[in-house]
Amino acid sequence: MESNYFKIYPDKDGFFKEYGGAFVPPVLMDEMKKIYESYLTISKSHNFISELRNIRKHYQGRPTPVYYCNRLSEKYGGRIYLKREDLNHSGAHKLNHCMGEALLAKYMGKKKLIAETGAGQHGVALATAAAYFGLECEIHMGAVDVAKEHPNVQRMKILGAKVVSVTHGLQTLKEAVDSAFEAYLSDPINSIYCIGSVVGPHPFPLMVRDFQRIVGIEAREQFLEMTGELPDNVVACVGGGSNSIGIFTAFLNDDCQIYGVEPGGRGENIGDHAASMRYGVKGMIHGFKCYNLQNEKGEPLPVYSVASGLDYPGVGPEHCMLHDMKRVNYVTANDKECIDAFFELSRMEGIIPALESAHAVAYALKLAKENPHTSILVNLSGRGDKDVDFVLEKYGLPEDR
């Protein structure tokens, strides 16, 4: 990869080669330019950097540790390590960019944060950031996910956020994004749309990537300190792709294999998965260009995943570029593999993972079996408290099946 990678990608118009950009209405384009200019100015200032570092250390609890899975490694043959983003305050990696976006909003004089959420982790993180900075917060969530992720809905409300249940279409993440965009369009002057992943119009893929880079920066240093070498493999789940881009970027110039794990769901038929990279085509969605699951008319296809945070019909533009460059291997894990990994990590290591993260764990276990003498670093992007009721109701305990 280019030594000045982060200065080259994205370009000034928000493109990662042919992917990305900002394809939005004129009124919104003006706001995107203001956000971009503010970010370029503020993110280089001493006060902004100092305040964000202080938040990460004293409020978020960073750095999060890298943990060696001793029992899991003995069973599967490889050397499996976890970057413990589940120990980040609010339970997932999402707070890394939410605190950054909220801090930016504060400096811009915005009064309200608007966002979508699928699994609820981004919603909880943004509600947390809003409470910290004293800002209003409105979270749009598909009705299906509202029912599925009830604990996170309650957490958002406790934190003071208004939760809007979206009842049209499939009532999941894509519809939540549509609804949040509409709310933002109604008052872009006083509000800011805090996108929950490395997707959407420029400059959001850039900003979220930059705020999430802390994960990879920490993990690379910690792994070297623990082992004296770099990991042979780096693995993370990919929906929109924020947690994965956060850890991947630290290893792009290293001699290691990188795997992005998409949700294989129930199978290969339309509506049974959300594997945009494997089955998608190049096209537009939500104001940017990427690989996405769409029909011949360019309309988004129905998607599905057992993990609410992964059921999005598109993927971040930087991931699309890394796919084409063949620097990252994009693979899948299906629902069964995900649920098996959920219980396996819980019972072998005492760590209950989010279903999103369990996709990455599932692929790591497969890698460990196939390559017993290699090291595998998994980004454990979130904890599974939110998923416990759903998993037990739908799948039951392993011994009861």
Side-chain angles (χ1 to χ4, degrees):
M1 305 296 291
E2 295 92 338
S3 58
N4 55 346
Y5 177 88
F6 296 106
K7 290 186 177 180
I8 297 175
Y9 304 115
D11 66 17
K12 63 181 178 63
D13 297 315
F15 284 95
F16 297 85
K17 293 191 182 292
E18 65 177 293
Y19 306 101
F23 302 89
V24 295
V27 63
L28 204 54
M29 181 62 82
D30 290 340
E31 286 302 312
M32 293 296 110
K33 288 178 180 177
K34 289 177 186 176
I35 292 170
Y36 183 42
E37 288 299 320
S38 297
Y39 175 70
L40 290 180
T41 302
I42 294 168
S43 65
K44 305 299 181 185
S45 73
H46 168 74
N47 288 342
F48 184 92
I49 294 169
S50 178
E51 186 169 358
L52 188 57
R53 285 178 175 172
N54 182 69
I55 287 168
R56 283 174 170 167
K57 180 177 181 180
H58 298 290
Y59 184 70
Q60 290 185 233
R62 304 206 68 90
T64 57
V66 166
Y67 167 73
Y68 176 62
C69 298
N70 188 61
R71 295 187 65 224
L72 213 56
S73 299
E74 285 183 2
K75 179 174 179 178
Y76 286 87
R79 288 174 283 127
I80 303 170
Y81 296 80
L82 306 177
K83 175 59 172 167
R84 296 290 306 277
E85 287 301 288
D86 59 311
L87 297 179
N88 195 32
H89 178 51
S90 79
H93 70 290
K94 295 291 187 179
L95 199 62
N96 298 329
H97 67 256
C98 284
M99 294 304 289
E101 288 176 328
L103 184 57
L104 175 64
K106 172 190 167 187
Y107 276 88
M108 291 181 70
K110 302 290 186 179
K111 297 178 174 60
K112 184 177 183 179
L113 308 179
I114 297 175
E116 84 297 332
T117 193
Q121 290 300 106
H122 175 61
V124 169
L126 196 67
T128 300
Y132 180 92
F133 288 109
L135 299 169
E136 294 178 54
C137 186
E138 182 175 299
I139 305 296
H140 294 247
M141 192 173 189
V144 169
D145 295 332
V146 168
K148 186 176 174 183
E149 304 289 1
H150 180 71
N152 272 349
V153 174
Q154 299 302 90
R155 290 171 74 194
M156 285 183 265
K157 291 179 178 178
I158 288 170
L159 289 162
K162 176 184 177 183
V163 180
V164 177
S165 180
V166 182
T167 57
H168 66 271
L170 293 176
Q171 305 178 26
T172 54
L173 185 54
K174 185 264 177 188
E175 288 75 25
V177 175
D178 293 340
S179 179
F181 257 117
E182 289 173 11
Y184 175 50
L185 275 170
S186 69
D187 186 16
I189 304 301
N190 295 304
S191 61
I192 186 171
Y193 184 17
C194 298
I195 291 176
S197 192
V198 284
V199 298
H202 177 62
F204 287 98
L206 161 69
M207 294 195 311
V208 174
R209 188 245 347 241
D210 287 355
F211 289 135
Q212 287 295 342
R213 282 182 62 197
I214 188 64
V215 179
I217 291 168
E218 287 178 4
R220 192 177 189 280
E221 182 180 322
Q222 291 165 322
F223 200 93
L224 269 171
E225 183 180 352
M226 289 176 71
T227 69
E229 60 184 18
L230 292 173
D232 297 311
N233 306 279
V234 178
V235 183
C237 65
V238 177
S242 58
N243 92 90
S244 44
I245 212 70
I247 196 166
F248 290 172
T249 47
F251 298 94
L252 292 176
N253 288 316
D254 296 318
D255 184 20
C256 62
Q257 293 295 311
I258 303 177
Y259 296 90
V261 188
E262 293 191 293
R266 296 174 295 228
E268 298 183 1
N269 294 330
I270 292 171
D272 282 341
H273 62 81
S276 306
M277 207 73 83
R278 172 169 285 195
Y279 302 109
V281 296
K282 298 174 185 178
M284 302 291 181
I285 187 172
H286 293 137
F288 72 107
K289 182 181 179 182
C290 66
Y291 282 106
N292 65 87
L293 298 162
Q294 61 177 228
N295 61 25
E296 60 279 359
K297 296 180 181 178
E299 300 166 335
L301 291 170
V303 292
Y304 159 82
S305 171
V306 70
S308 295
L310 300 181
D311 60 358
Y312 183 64
V315 66
E318 190 166 3
H319 283 290
C320 299
M321 180 185 74
L322 293 172
H323 168 273
D324 288 1
M325 295 169 75
K326 295 182 168 51
R327 181 59 191 96
V328 176
N329 308 290
Y330 291 91
V331 296
T332 61
N334 62 36
D335 281 4
K336 182 182 183 306
E337 292 167 330
C338 167
I339 297 299
D340 288 346
F342 174 89
F343 282 110
E344 192 74 343
L345 183 60
S346 298
R347 295 190 167 188
M348 295 295 291
E349 299 292 342
I351 299 170
I352 303 174
L355 288 177
E356 292 76 18
S357 313
H359 283 77
V361 175
Y363 195 80
L365 298 183
K366 188 183 297 185
L367 272 179
K369 282 182 178 179
E370 295 171 353
N371 306 279
H373 302 295
T374 59
S375 57
I376 304 165
L377 174 61
V378 181
N379 193 14
L380 196 75
S381 55
R383 66 176 181 237
D385 306 37
K386 66 185 180 62
D387 297 313
V388 168
D389 291 344
F390 169 76
V391 170
L392 291 180
E393 182 179 333
K394 185 170 177 62
Y395 295 96
L397 295 169
E399 58 268 24
D400 296 334
R401 292 182 207 168

